[in-house]
Amino acid sequence: GISWNEIIVVGPTQMAVDMGYVANNGATVGLTLPLLAAFGSVIWIVGKGAGGWQAQQNAGQTIINGAVSTTVGVGGTLTSSEPSATAYLLCITANTTWKVISTTGNLISV
């Protein structure tokens, strides 16, 4: 099963594979993708606080959300546009490529 962590700091907080994160702050909570992730690893992100959340990338990483991909590397982000938005991410290429396979709310890819 998935273990859950409530993140109450703005961050950034380093995420780990096969974990769930509840972002709970009045400001946007920064959550950084794991540096190492095997194909098939997952991450859940759930918004709770008023500030929502932002998934931040490391060098060489990208997140695919539908037909849109984030900018490759540290400048790329996936951000909740509503505080309670959720995203379920699947690693489809080890260490580098994540795919949003389920979401609630709208997500902004940069």
Side-chain angles (χ1 to χ4, degrees):
I2 298 277
S3 294
W4 289 91
N5 299 289
E6 184 171 23
I7 308 301
I8 58 172
V9 296
V10 173
T13 297
Q14 183 70 48
M15 293 188 287
V17 296
D18 302 327
M19 300 288 288
Y21 296 88
V22 177
N24 186 11
N25 195 296
T28 303
V29 173
L31 301 164
T32 305
L33 292 175
L35 284 170
L36 301 174
F39 171 83
S41 299
V42 296
I43 295 173
W44 276 101
I45 304 172
V46 176
K48 179 179 177 183
W53 53 267
Q54 182 178 74
Q56 301 165 345
Q57 301 168 180
N58 297 293
Q61 293 181 327
T62 190
I63 303 170
I64 303 166
N65 181 24
V68 178
S69 294
T70 59
T71 302
V72 176
V74 296
T77 60
L78 183 71
T79 306
S80 64
S81 63
E82 299 99 25
S84 62
T86 66
Y88 184 45
L89 306 176
L90 172 69
C91 181
I92 60 172
T93 303
N95 306 325
T96 62
T97 309
W98 293 83
K99 172 79 173 153
V100 177
I101 58 172
S102 179
T103 184
T104 61
N106 295 310
L107 304 179
I108 301 165
S109 300
V110 175

